[in-house]
Amino acid sequence: MKRNIIIEPDPILRKKCLPLDKVDNDLKKLMQEMLETMYQAPGIGLAAIQVGILKRIVVIDISREENKKDPLYLVNPVITHRSKETSVYEEGCLSLPGQFAEIERPANCIVKYIDYNGKEQELKAGGLLATCIQHEVDHLDGILFIDYLSKLKKDMIIKKLVKHKKEIERVIV
Ligand code: NI
């Protein structure tokens, strides 16, 4: 089942998500639905908060190839190391459709998490994956990539999204 993605501005996206105790079948089902929603959007990362579930769950697949899916499921992800070296990517977000901005973040990071099978994992990430992990973990604390921009740029993007949301409503009505 595909889930609806919450679009900024929405107070839900600013909430802090809660950790999970264990990976059970309900959680596995939710992670599959999140992945399906992300692939259809299409996007390379999605946090549960973006579908209105305030839990610390993230799905990522940076493979971008239809026939070579490589999903990553992160439950309770914690970034334990951020490199001093930084990199810049043009970021977008499924909750901010059509909006992109160059964001500077640590180039490499180490993330600890619980995987799809309930096993503790540690992953050293660089490049696009490192940026994606940091972007998604930010979501779990109510942080969006536009929070790293100047107030002027941020306000401009939010204004466009408000207009975009009104247009969507107009079509539905
Ligand atoms: Ni996002």
Side-chain angles (χ1 to χ4, degrees):
M1 189 188 78
K2 192 173 162 278
R3 302 254 179 171
N4 283 331
I5 295 172
I6 295 170
I7 307 297
E8 169 77 353
D10 191 309
I12 289 175
L13 293 172
R14 298 312 191 161
K15 304 259 189 220
K16 207 171 154 63
C17 300
L18 295 168
L20 289 112
D21 304 330
K22 61 179 189 320
V23 179
D24 58 16
N25 286 339
D26 286 344
L27 177 52
K28 285 184 180 180
K29 186 166 175 267
L30 171 63
M31 289 196 285
Q32 290 298 345
E33 288 179 2
M34 284 171 59
L35 201 68
E36 191 189 332
T37 305
M38 183 192 84
Y39 284 138
Q40 279 190 26
I44 59 168
L46 185 74
I49 187 171
Q50 293 177 272
V51 293
I53 293 161
L54 300 176
K55 296 282 169 63
R56 304 188 83 82
I57 313 161
V58 164
V59 293
I60 290 173
D61 190 342
I62 59 161
S63 69
R64 290 188 205 220
E65 278 180 59
E66 193 59 42
N67 50 357
K68 261 201 237 164
K69 289 204 163 75
D70 188 18
L72 192 59
Y73 307 87
L74 302 106
V75 176
N76 301 341
V78 176
I79 295 172
T80 56
H81 173 80
R82 291 175 167 85
S83 66
K84 284 205 178 78
E85 186 200 334
T86 61
S87 63
V88 176
Y89 276 93
E90 189 174 42
E91 293 187 27
C93 179
L94 292 176
S95 292
L96 289 87
Q99 305 306 316
F100 301 91
E102 287 192 342
I103 305 293
E104 185 178 11
R105 296 184 188 267
N108 303 291
C109 67
I110 296 173
V111 62
K112 280 188 177 169
Y113 62 99
I114 297 168
D115 71 10
Y116 189 80
N117 298 309
K119 214 179 137 201
E120 276 184 41
Q121 300 281 359
E122 191 178 71
L123 174 70
K124 192 168 190 274
L128 176 62
L129 182 60
T131 284
C132 190
I133 288 169
Q134 291 173 71
H135 174 122
E136 297 309 327
V137 171
D138 271 356
H139 272 301
L140 306 182
D141 294 316
I143 299 164
L144 301 173
F145 78 82
I146 51 171
D147 299 346
Y148 297 104
L149 301 174
S150 67
K151 192 182 178 303
L152 186 76
K153 278 189 190 165
K154 183 176 166 177
D155 287 350
M156 216 166 69
I157 288 178
I158 290 174
K159 215 172 135 185
K160 282 184 194 162
L161 289 166
V162 169
K163 197 171 160 241
H164 169 82
K165 282 177 98 170
K166 276 184 188 154
E167 278 164 12
I168 295 173
E169 279 164 25
R170 205 179 297 146
V171 174
I172 293 167
V173 175

